[in-house]
Amino acid sequence: MMGPRQEAQPALFYEFSLEDHIPTDHLLRSIDRFVDLSSIRAHLAEFYSHTGRPSADPELLIRMLLVGYCFGIRSERRRCEEVHFNLAYRWFCRLDLSNRVPDHSTFSKNRHGRFRGSELLRHLFETTVARCIAEGLVSGQRMAIDASLIEADANKQNSTPKEDRDATHIDPADAPRAVREYLDTLDRAAFGAASEVQPKFTSHSDPASQWTAARKGPAFFSYSDNYLIDTDHGVILDVEPTRSIRQAEVGSTKTMLTRVKDKFGLVPDWMIADTAYGSGPMLGWLVERKIDPYIPVIDKAGRPDGTWTRTDFDWDAQNDQYICPEGHALKQFRRNYSDPNRGPTGKGTAKYRALKLICQVYPSKPKCCPNADARSITREEHEDARQVARDLAKTDEYAIAMKLRKKVEMLFAHLKRILGLSRLRLRGPCGANDEFLLAATAQNLRKLAKIFPASQQTRKA
């Protein structure tokens, strides 16, 4: 028999529990166990007045931001709508059915004021990292670093060529927030001071972003999202926004390693990265701190004419000289100079030369220096560290390290495809920093939820 038609009839009283309507295996149940916001009120206390109308609950705003970044809800208007009608989101944000969802403009007001002034998002991220360490997901022995390009909220139509751009004519009082942030970062190593080379185009709306064609396609404005991860479980230990140029990305390594050491006391035994990080100064910095660099060396010693390269010459550190395959010495000095400036070239390199009389009489000269009277070899300032990296590349552990490096690349793929962070919505270095920190926090929380899922028993209300 066909049942009667169900028609909605409003009741006078309802008995409804959000707890009973959230599946026990929902992702937010697992994430909720690792979200610790107990310290944010004390962290923000000095940024609130003791009088006036009560503000929106900062814990509620943070929980709504986490929902948005964990599920790829980038728009703040849409995030408020989703929290309004999604029961699981309401449960996670501690909102009852009768509670109102804050207006989307509340996020902008707090982000530009209290959140950035107190570095709350950095505090939230580091709290999540500390939880990962407490759960045993981080050993700190092997770390990997890499950077990925994230498109900025800017376009070429609203830009100026470098020959027409003059930052000295910008009035900070009348400039937008992103432009003022750009002026503040001109002397920072991660942005303006990273390179003296000016970009081909500068955006009017987000001048700190970098015009780049690194993807071998159409050029665009972007920021670089730099990750430092622990390779045990792929936990993100630190994140840093920079210009999308190699000097800034490599320089962020020192910043993040120093910050992780100061905050968590972690110093890796291995540092794993790609060839972009294989410069002499970077390798020297790592070796000086007794960190093994499992990094391909940037080596331009190869010779296209097939003659002997620098690697064919043996280095004699005790006597400060190279030994050629014929057994003769290449020295930097053959007599003592009273002027110390006669030695180094001034560019962190030293030149070692063989004697002309010896090179001219040996039959192997065509294989060594066919177009010169005598052979000379340039030695970099950090050549010892470069040799350490070359020696490590010959070990079995190097193959393991290169496989572990893929974990940081997988995190960037997850960031763009699952969390939807392929283009920034916020402008300026601070906007990029906010988005990168929230996205990294969401990735770490999802990692915790995946490894330690919530039990199938619903918690008591």
Side-chain angles (χ1 to χ4, degrees):
M1 179 178 67
M2 183 180 297
R5 175 178 296 176
Q6 298 292 329
E7 295 184 1
Q9 296 183 359
L12 184 60
F13 299 102
Y14 287 95
E15 182 178 351
F16 187 88
S17 173
L18 283 176
E19 182 69 34
D20 298 336
H21 289 76
I22 309 303
T24 57
D25 59 348
H26 197 283
L27 178 61
L28 283 178
R29 281 195 180 274
S30 299
I31 291 178
D32 183 62
R33 297 164 54 236
F34 302 105
V35 176
D36 182 11
L37 303 181
S38 59
S39 62
I40 70 170
R41 288 185 173 274
H43 191 80
L44 290 171
E46 61 179 292
F47 293 89
Y48 282 90
S49 173
H50 297 289
T51 60
R53 188 179 66 177
S55 68
D57 184 4
E59 294 185 23
L60 171 60
L61 299 181
I62 292 298
R63 286 184 175 272
M64 291 181 66
L65 285 172
L66 290 177
V67 165
Y69 279 84
C70 283
F71 292 93
I73 307 173
R74 306 291 312 289
S75 169
E76 291 179 348
R77 291 177 183 269
R78 181 170 167 242
R79 186 185 306 132
C80 293
E81 293 175 357
E82 292 283 345
V83 172
H84 176 68
F85 64 74
N86 190 301
L87 296 181
Y89 296 168
R90 277 185 171 271
W91 173 86
F92 180 79
C93 295
R94 307 294 190 263
L95 290 174
D96 201 354
L97 291 178
S98 59
N99 295 134
R100 293 187 59 184
V101 177
D103 187 75
H104 66 89
S105 61
T106 307
F107 292 96
S108 299
K109 186 69 175 178
N110 284 272
R111 180 175 58 245
H112 295 150
R114 302 182 182 99
F115 289 1
R116 287 183 182 173
S118 64
E119 295 188 349
L120 177 63
L121 300 183
R122 167 67 62 180
H123 173 74
L124 176 67
F125 170 74
E126 291 177 346
T127 302
T128 307
V129 174
R131 184 61 184 270
C132 293
I133 296 174
E135 296 292 340
L137 301 186
V138 177
S139 68
Q141 296 178 353
R142 297 179 296 192
M143 297 183 188
I145 191 167
D146 204 356
S148 182
L149 300 181
I150 306 296
E151 187 175 355
D153 186 23
N155 57 69
K156 184 180 177 181
Q157 285 71 27
N158 188 24
S159 64
T160 299
K162 62 179 181 181
E163 55 269 14
D164 299 333
R165 183 71 174 177
D166 188 1
T168 59
H169 293 167
I170 300 177
D171 184 6
D174 297 332
R177 180 180 292 104
V179 178
R180 295 198 301 270
E181 293 175 6
Y182 159 72
L183 296 175
D184 293 338
T185 58
L186 287 176
D187 296 330
R188 296 185 187 177
F191 290 96
S195 173
E196 296 180 357
V197 179
Q198 297 298 318
K200 187 176 181 180
F201 292 96
T202 301
S203 171
H204 296 164
S205 58
D206 193 354
S209 60
Q210 177 73 28
W211 178 257
T212 179
R215 291 179 181 172
K216 308 300 181 183
F220 59 96
F221 290 103
S222 72
Y223 286 92
S224 283
D225 188 4
N226 299 270
Y227 275 2
L228 176 67
I229 73 164
D230 183 272
T231 59
D232 288 358
H233 292 88
V235 173
I236 303 170
L237 298 179
D238 205 356
V239 57
E240 181 77 7
T242 63
R243 286 174 63 187
S244 298
I245 56 174
R246 185 179 63 84
Q247 297 92 323
E249 294 171 358
V250 173
S252 68
T253 306
K254 303 177 182 180
T255 301
M256 291 190 286
L257 282 173
T258 302
R259 191 157 50 202
V260 167
K261 178 183 177 182
D262 295 340
K263 185 65 179 180
F264 306 110
L266 298 177
V267 179
D269 298 327
W270 293 14
M271 175 52 62
I272 307 170
D274 58 23
T275 311
Y277 299 82
S279 63
M282 184 73 254
L283 296 174
W285 190 86
L286 292 172
V287 171
E288 182 181 347
R289 286 156 180 78
K290 302 187 183 308
I291 302 174
D292 292 339
Y294 287 87
I295 305 173
V297 180
I298 299 176
D299 197 344
K300 300 180 180 180
R303 298 167 70 99
D305 56 0
T307 56
W308 290 338
T309 65
R310 183 170 53 192
T311 57
D312 295 319
F313 292 74
D314 296 328
W315 169 244
D316 181 3
Q318 183 176 1
N319 297 312
D320 188 25
Q321 63 184 12
Y322 278 98
I323 305 299
C324 77
E326 295 289 352
H328 297 282
L330 286 77
K331 296 184 177 182
Q332 185 180 7
F333 308 115
R334 296 188 182 273
R335 63 184 178 89
N336 295 326
Y337 289 99
S338 58
D339 184 2
N341 295 325
R342 294 284 299 274
T345 61
K347 299 180 180 179
T349 61
K351 183 167 287 189
Y352 294 79
R353 300 174 177 85
L355 290 175
K356 177 180 177 181
L357 295 177
I358 295 178
C359 290
Q360 293 292 334
V361 299
Y362 268 84
S364 58
K365 185 177 183 301
K367 296 181 180 179
C368 182
C369 51
N371 300 320
D373 294 334
R375 181 62 185 263
S376 64
I377 294 178
T378 300
R379 182 175 178 83
E380 302 290 338
E381 179 183 2
H382 301 282
E383 189 63 29
D384 292 337
R386 289 156 59 91
Q387 189 58 44
V388 170
R390 293 190 190 100
D391 294 339
L392 290 173
K394 301 175 183 177
T395 63
D396 295 336
E397 289 81 2
Y398 184 81
I400 298 174
M402 292 300 102
K403 291 181 181 179
L404 293 175
R405 192 179 69 83
K406 295 180 181 179
K407 291 190 176 184
V408 66
E409 296 177 347
M410 293 173 62
L411 284 170
F412 285 130
H414 180 272
L415 174 72
K416 296 178 181 180
R417 299 190 60 182
I418 306 301
L419 303 189
L421 190 63
S422 57
R423 180 185 173 96
L424 295 174
R425 294 183 62 85
L426 305 180
R427 292 174 176 171
C430 292
N433 184 61
D434 292 348
E435 294 217 55
F436 293 164
L437 283 172
L438 281 169
T441 303
Q443 287 183 287
N444 281 345
L445 287 173
R446 289 177 66 112
K447 179 77 66 176
L448 285 165
K450 179 181 178 181
I451 298 177
F452 304 108
S455 63
Q456 299 304 307
Q457 299 293 330
T458 57
R459 67 187 180 116
K460 295 182 180 180

